[in-house]
Structure formats: structure tokens, C-alpha cells
Amino acid sequence: MKDDRIRGILARMTWAEKLAQLQIVWIPDTVAQHDRVRRGIGAMFWPPSAEATNELQRIAVEETRLGIPLLIGLDVVHGQFTIFPTPLAQASSFDPAVAALDGRTSATEARSNGVNWTFSPMVDISVDPRWGRVVEGFGESPFLASAFAAAKVAAYQGSSLAATDSIAACLKHFIAYGAAEAGRDYNSTDVSNRRLRDVYLPPFAAGVRAGAASVMASFNSLNGVPMHANSWMLSEVLKDELGFAGVVVGDAEGASQLTVHGVAETEAEALALSITAGVDIVMGGPPMGDAVDDSSLHDPSALDVARVDDAVLRILAVKESLGLFDDPYVDASKAVSAPTEQSRADARASAERSVILLKNGGSADAGELLPLDPESTKRILLTGPYARSTDHLGAWVQRFGVGSRSLEETLRERFGQATWTVEDGAGFLASEPGQLSAAVDAARESDLVILAVGEPSHLSGEASSRSEISLPGEQDALIEAIVDTGVPVVVVLLAGRPLVVERWIDRVDSVLFAFHLGTEGPDALARVLAGDVSPAGRVPMTFPRSVGQIPIYSEHERTGRPASTSGSLSATKHDVGLEGPNNLDDSFTSKYLDLPLGPRFPFGHGLGYTTFDGPGLQATRTSISLAELAAGGSLELSAQTRNAGPRSADNVLMLFLSDPVASVAQPVRRLCGFARLHVSTGDTASITFRIGADEIGFWDDQRRRREPGLLRFTLTDGIDESDVSVHVTAS
């Protein structure tokens, strides 16, 4: 019946009315907004209020010939009013329930105000932290990102899109946007079909399986073809192969910018090229339902009628699923305009689960400084630009997102018995004269220094690529000067990306890290510092030692000459007679002469306040056939972890797969399972991982392959490891 309704509407539409549905625009002027709706546009950005949205919907329904309601879009990325941790911080939790909590809260707040479509989640894989938009995604692992993508889509959309607390999700940016050359936003990408399908496509496929209502085309070109004109990816792969039945929306002016890419001569040609390729809704650009200077689009022969009709039906189907034809309005008296006690509690719990303890002791006589002991620590200096700052929301927050308190406020509240001194020490970008020396003087009179440093929110996100990703301004110098005083130091480090911390990381005692945590971030940090919460976050994206190492990531492929020792600038290939270790046996291997091997903090790294016995891993069987896997069978691996320490806490178990011999060189290991388990002191927690055909398969450049052979599985909690091997037989 509902399908009949939208097909009936399509049959009555004029060509201009169809084209008008294929566009979303942002118009700040109210009069111009209303005029555009009267002319039949299909989607608008949020006005922003429930009353203003209802008025737009009223005009669309009552003052247009066909009465088609509007899609109302907004980037609700990690919160509408209650701001949750940034997506990369959420990935640090290794708990998709954190993303789900954000999605449910965001959907409730947004839909109550008339927003029915969000441009989130971003599921781009990136291994280059110079790219500012890494903060919007779920890290470098396709498996981890896929799990979070599915959870976020399901949470936004709920059990029914028509519900008053559900909004349509949008997977972005399709595809390989995170592979931008040099980590520079909007830049070109060149990716093999094999890597495209094994690395960049899986999170989108997971989101499509979860029922995502829309997908956004990315700004980049892929192998020379701009994505807004890439019919192979948008139509053949996304719609036909993956079975995506929703709406493909362009990114801001992305269709019009095909002229700048150099694949279209005029804007009208660019729009036609984009729609033909598979974009269903153009974002921005000239009015598509009105006469324009180049009116070629207004001749049905300029576009394939069936393609336009398909796009319109997809749009109408999403509106039907949202229940807009039956009731396009919201009850403005029930519109949410501020966080509730519950949403704050949920945001705080999510932030607590997203904090990573990078380091705790080992660089000085102070030993493990965290959690803080209020009895032995009487005089505390809090310094650094994040001491007093309330910049905790992170990138991609609308102006109406509710801010946070400062670390000074939350720490004074939690450690009221201590004597506090607060000095700025340095600014985020520039420092005032005397700031550093005042902090150093205060440090000498303190028992402990908490150095709150980091990268402010505006330095990450869209159009925020950085060529150097160390701490900005004079913060490195502040850390070194404080360390030189000899006072024990805890660094609280906040950022929107993994940072290069080599200048000081070996000199400080303890480091607590988080990607920006949102409205309740400082409260969560205070609770973790106090030991009310034991940190269990894990690094979702590798921390390089140097920008020169980028890209560096956990699932890199094997090389024929792997290095086993670090390089040396002093030894040469011909110094055979040198005494002592000179790396000659390992000279011609894959490494840098001027850096130790490996990253500073690898994917999955993270410490806590208790001790877990090494995780145990067992396979229920030693072999399984490809035929059984193809028929839906799975290999079961049981895992255990025991809390042998003094505190109840969470532990994160990560299961990696290695394929030592295959027809295509494989990653050294790749994530194929993970779980976050709460374990009381002295108790053991268990979980079973099921490995199916999808987990063992991989692509060559033509097809997906599953091959017999030996597979090695490694279970780790970031500290200890356990291995088992399983034979995969042909039959």
C-alpha cells in the first residue's frame, strides 16, 4: 500500500518536480527558505528549531501541488545538545554499546526538534593521522570500524524509522576518502581493487547490512574518477553488488565541483554526470527544479528518465519509512533543548569507557602515579592550556551543543582535600610572557604536577590537516621544563588525532590520553584520575614515533625483508670490521636508519589499574573445511581472562588472525574479534569467538578468495598474548 502511494506520487510528478526532489540546500534567510520549499525542493537543512521546522513542513504539505514532506538534515555526529565523546574516542572504548548510546540519545534529541536525517556515521578507514577527519571515524581497523558502523546505524534508526526518537543514518564518505594523499583533506586517492575491498569497503557493507537509509559520496577522486561521477562505485558496487536500496547524497557542492576536477565543463553537465553516476540527492548547487542559465537539465533528454525516477522513488521511500507522509510534524512542546540528567550520565559513562592509560610509571622513581592517592598528595599543581579550558567537545559539534566544565572545576571538586595551584603554563597556540616560568616556580612548591595539554578541537575535523602532529605551540617546552624540576608528573593529553610525543614521552611518569570526550569529559577524567573508574580504553589508531613513519598501522602487509632490529646512522653497509652491534646482519631490511622499529603506541595498546593474568585461548577443534565454512559453519575459539589484581575492572580482549601462506601477501595479522569484559577481583570472564567464511576470506584484484592452509589466531589484551593454530582444509 505504501509503495503504491509513492509510485502514485511519482506518476503525477512533472520533470521539474522530480528534479526539485533531488537536492538539499542550506538557506539561512527564512523568507528564502519558505520560497524554496514552495517551489518544491525535497530536502533542507535544519532551520534550527522545532517550530521553524514545522513551518517548513507545513508549507511543503499544504502549499505545494503534491504535498510532499521534507527531509530535514543535520550533521549530528556525536550529539545534538548532549555531546558524547568523538567517534574516534568511542572506538577507543572497544565497546560498540558506547556508539549505540550516543546514537540513541542523538536521535531522540534531534528528531524531537524536527531533524529526521543525520549525516553520520563516518566510517572512513584512515592510517594517516595528519588527516584531520580521523577524529570523526572509528580508527584504522576495518573489523572494529564495521562493528561500530553497524551499532551506530542501528541506534540512530531504532526499531522503526517512523518512531519519534529515530532518524535516518548516513554512511560517509563513500569511498576511500581516508586514503587521501599526504593526509591532505579533499585530496586524490589511488587504491587497488584488492585494498579497496579488504580495507575501505567493509565498514560500508556492515552499515548497509544494518539498514542505513543513506550513503554520502566523498569529495575525493578514486583512481582518477571523482566519486560524485563514479558510476562503478556508486551504482555497480554500492547499489547493485551490496544491495543498497537507500539514498545516495552528494557532499557539499561535490557535484558542482566536478568542473574543478576537470571531468565536466559546465555546472549543469556536472549535475547531470553526478545523477547519472548514482547520486540521488545533490547537496548545494544551483536550483535543480528551476530555470537556470544553462537549462539543459530541464530537458528530459539530458538525463535518463529511468535513473531520475529511480532516484525520486528512493527519496520518497525514505520519507515514507520516516512516516512523514502520515505525520511530518513534531510536537514542539516536547522538543529537547538541553541535556537531561540521564543523557549527561550516559555521556559521562561513555567518556569514562573511552579514556586510555598510555603509561603509568617506569620513567622515574615515582613509580605508578595513577590512580592519585589523595592522602599522600597534598599539594598539586594543575597546569597547561587544558587546565582551565572548556574546549572538550571536539570536532563537528553544532553551535548549540552544550559545553563542559573545566578540569580545574572537576578536579577541585573531586580532590577537595588537596591544596591546588593552577597556572596556564602555555597557550594552545601562543603563550603569554611569564606563563612558563610561573608554572615552573609553582611546580617546585608542589608534590605532584598534572600537566593538562593537547590539541584544541578546532585543529581536528574537516579541513584541519596538519603536516606536523606534535603538540602545538610551546606545550612540549612546558612539559620539559616541568619535568626538569624533578617533581612527579602526570600528563593528561587530549587531542583529535594520534600525536607524535617523542620529545617528552620517556621523561614523564604517567600519561592519561583521550580523544575529545564531550560535555562530560572533564568529569570523566577526574573520576579516572581518582580511581573511581579503572581505565580500559585501547588505542584504535596507531601513534607514530615521527611523521616520517606515516602511514604506520597494525594490519600492514608482510614484506620480503622484515626488520628485526633498528637502523643506525653511524654504521654503514661496509663497516664489517666494526666492534659491537652495528646492525650489519639486518642492514638490507625494511626500516628507518634514524628511528626504532615500530610505532610509539600500537593499535590495541592500553593499561589499567589492576592486573590480569595472561589471556587464554583455545580452539574447539584443530581443523575445519572450506566446504563447512561456505555452508555457514564456523570455528569456535574460547577465550578467558582472570582479574588477579586489587580492583574490579574491564579488560579488552582482541583476537587477531594471521595467514602465513596465501596466494596474495596478507597482513602480518588482522583483527577478527574483540570483546570488552568486566571482571571482578579474583574472577574469570569467558567469551566465545566464532570465525566464519567472511573472517578468513580476502580479495585479490579480481575476486574474493578462501584458501586452505594453516591459520594462526592470537588473543591479546594489549599486554599478554596467547596463540592457537587451526588447519583449514579444502574438503
Side-chain angles (χ1 to χ4, degrees):
M1 182 67 71
K2 291 183 177 181
D3 187 61
D4 290 342
R5 173 159 59 183
I6 63 175
R7 289 189 178 277
I9 293 172
L10 177 66
R12 295 165 54 202
M13 295 176 77
T14 66
W15 184 251
E17 286 170 334
K18 291 177 182 179
L19 291 182
Q21 286 293 307
L22 311 188
Q23 191 170 38
I24 180 171
V25 294
W26 162 245
I27 302 175
D29 179 72
T30 302
V31 174
Q33 283 178 10
H34 292 180
D35 177 65
R36 195 64 178 275
V37 174
R38 289 187 179 96
R39 287 187 284 161
I41 195 167
M44 294 283 287
F45 280 85
W46 191 46
S49 73
E51 293 82 1
T53 305
N54 280 342
E55 179 59 12
L56 288 182
Q57 294 286 20
R58 186 199 65 77
I59 294 171
V61 171
E62 298 181 8
E63 298 186 26
T64 64
R65 188 176 74 89
L66 297 175
I68 302 173
L70 296 165
L71 288 175
I72 302 293
L74 184 68
D75 295 88
V76 188
V77 175
H78 55 109
Q80 171 89 336
F81 301 108
T82 308
I83 307 304
F84 278 70
T86 57
L88 193 56
Q90 294 178 26
S92 302
S93 72
F94 275 69
D95 181 7
V98 168
L101 203 56
D102 167 26
R104 280 283 78 210
T105 303
S106 296
T108 299
E109 293 183 350
R111 188 69 182 262
S112 76
N113 282 274
V115 178
N116 51 46
W117 185 19
T118 178
F119 304 115
S120 175
M122 190 190 99
V123 298
D124 297 308
I125 298 297
S126 178
V127 296
D128 193 334
R130 292 174 299 179
W131 188 45
R133 302 198 79 164
V134 298
V135 72
E136 298 175 51
F138 298 121
E140 70 186 41
S141 163
F143 189 89
L144 184 70
S146 296
F148 275 80
K152 197 72 172 285
V153 167
Y156 279 138
Q157 299 191 167
S159 58
S160 169
L161 271 177
T164 58
D165 60 353
S166 294
I167 52 178
C170 181
L171 302 167
K172 65 182 188 184
H173 306 84
F174 195 77
I175 191 171
Y177 187 31
E181 290 182 357
R184 197 167 68 246
D185 212 352
Y186 317 118
N187 209 5
S188 304
T189 64
D190 201 302
V191 180
S192 68
N193 185 49
R194 179 180 65 83
R195 183 161 291 191
L196 186 74
R197 291 176 175 277
D198 272 346
V199 176
Y200 297 100
L201 193 58
F204 288 94
V208 169
R209 289 193 298 271
S214 63
V215 170
M216 180 180 286
S218 54
F219 284 119
N220 58 284
S221 62
L222 173 64
N223 304 338
V225 182
M227 280 308 306
H228 281 71
N230 199 314
S231 59
W232 172 54
M233 287 305 306
L234 296 180
S235 293
E236 295 180 36
V237 174
L238 177 60
K239 292 181 176 179
D240 297 339
E241 184 180 318
L242 296 185
F244 175 65
V247 169
V248 174
V249 61
D251 210 338
E253 306 293 337
S256 297
Q257 289 164 4
L258 293 178
T259 59
V260 186
H261 276 283
V263 297
E265 186 172 355
T266 67
E267 195 167 45
E269 181 185 342
L271 298 179
L273 187 60
S274 187
I275 293 167
T276 299
V279 171
D280 302 306
I281 298 180
V282 171
M283 187 178 289
M288 292 187 56
D290 304 315
V292 291
D293 292 340
D294 184 341
S295 60
S296 59
L297 285 184
H298 298 274
D299 179 354
S301 65
L303 285 167
D304 179 66
V305 174
R307 166 78 273 269
V308 171
D309 285 353
D310 171 64
V312 173
L313 276 175
R314 288 171 179 267
I315 295 163
L316 297 180
V318 171
K319 295 180 178 183
E320 182 71 270
S321 296
L322 286 163
L324 299 179
F325 285 103
D326 295 319
D327 184 6
Y329 307 111
V330 296
D331 185 345
S333 68
K334 297 181 179 179
V336 177
S337 59
T340 64
E341 184 177 336
Q342 184 61 55
S343 71
R344 283 187 177 275
D346 290 342
R348 183 169 57 253
S350 298
E352 290 169 359
R353 295 178 77 77
S354 304
V355 176
I356 307 169
L357 182 60
L358 291 179
K359 180 180 180 180
N360 199 13
S363 64
D365 295 334
E368 293 186 354
L369 295 183
L370 296 178
L372 298 178
D373 182 359
E375 297 302 320
S376 62
T377 307
K378 299 299 184 183
R379 301 176 302 167
I380 304 176
L381 168 65
L382 175 64
T383 186
Y386 262 117
R388 294 188 173 102
S389 175
T390 57
D391 174 40
H392 289 272
L393 299 190
W396 256 125
V397 173
Q398 307 293 344
R399 60 175 177 79
F400 36 78
V402 173
S404 70
R405 298 199 290 170
S406 68
L407 271 174
E408 178 185 8
E409 292 175 273
T410 60
L411 289 175
R412 283 185 185 275
E413 182 179 283
R414 182 60 185 81
F415 297 95
Q417 71 276 32
T419 299
W420 285 90
T421 303
V422 180
E423 295 285 349
D424 291 328
F428 283 121
L429 301 180
S431 300
E432 299 294 330
Q435 280 185 320
L436 191 151
S437 59
V440 169
D441 291 343
R444 293 193 177 101
E445 302 299 320
S446 302
D447 302 315
L448 174 76
V449 178
I450 299 177
L451 266 161
V453 295
E455 177 188 59
S457 297
H458 75 274
L459 290 188
S460 61
E462 186 171 359
S464 297
S465 297
R466 295 180 59 196
S467 65
E468 295 291 340
I469 54 172
S470 56
L471 282 169
E474 298 177 18
Q475 296 180 79
D476 284 339
L478 171 65
I479 295 173
E480 290 180 317
I482 295 294
V483 170
D484 286 343
T485 66
V487 179
V489 170
V490 171
V491 172
V492 176
L493 178 62
L494 303 170
R497 53 164 59 83
L499 297 177
V500 171
V501 295
E502 292 305 287
R503 184 169 162 182
W504 50 266
I505 190 66
D506 288 327
R507 302 189 63 203
V508 301
D509 303 297
S510 300
V511 182
L512 199 65
F513 175 83
F515 303 105
H516 296 119
L517 293 174
T519 300
E520 294 294 313
D523 293 79
L525 289 167
R527 284 171 52 78
V528 173
L529 287 167
D532 302 330
V533 176
S534 181
R538 298 292 188 267
V539 170
M541 188 174 182
T542 300
F543 279 62
R545 295 179 184 273
S546 163
V547 169
Q549 280 186 308
I550 296 170
I552 183 169
Y553 51 101
S554 61
E555 300 187 13
H556 62 89
E557 293 162 12
R558 292 185 177 87
T559 174
R561 293 190 174 189
S564 58
T565 59
S566 300
S568 170
L569 288 171
S570 60
T572 73
K573 310 300 184 295
H574 306 291
D575 286 336
V576 179
L578 286 179
E579 296 182 1
N582 54 33
N583 201 35
L584 292 179
D585 292 338
D586 201 37
S587 290
F588 294 95
T589 55
S590 182
K591 61 181 178 297
Y592 294 99
L593 294 178
D594 55 349
L595 281 177
L597 288 181
R600 167 51 67 174
F601 296 113
F603 176 89
H605 173 77
L607 308 175
Y609 294 159
T610 193
T611 303
F612 288 92
D613 287 342
L617 181 66
Q618 291 182 322
T620 56
R621 54 202 294 188
T622 58
S623 67
I624 191 170
S625 71
L626 287 175
E628 184 178 348
L629 289 169
S634 62
L635 174 70
E636 292 188 355
L637 301 169
S638 61
Q640 306 84 33
T641 180
R642 179 180 179 273
N643 188 342
R647 296 169 178 264
S648 295
D650 291 357
N651 198 16
V652 173
L653 301 183
M654 294 162 283
L655 183 68
F656 291 89
L657 180 153
S658 300
D659 190 349
V661 180
S663 58
V664 175
Q666 292 298 293
V668 290
R669 66 183 191 178
R670 52 188 169 90
L671 189 70
C672 64
F674 66 91
R676 179 167 176 153
L677 304 174
H678 184 74
V679 193
S680 298
T681 300
D683 287 350
T684 298
S686 302
I687 191 170
T688 298
F689 295 103
R690 289 177 174 82
I691 306 299
D694 287 343
E695 283 74 31
I696 71 163
F698 59 88
W699 278 82
D700 60 22
D701 268 343
Q702 284 77 43
R703 63 186 179 90
R704 187 160 179 79
R705 307 176 68 96
R706 299 185 186 97
E707 299 176 345
L710 180 71
L711 298 181
R712 181 173 295 113
F713 294 92
T714 301
L715 181 71
T716 179
D717 60 4
I719 299 175
D720 298 310
E721 295 186 352
S722 177
D723 297 288
V724 298
S725 295
V726 176
H727 288 273
V728 176
T729 62
S731 59

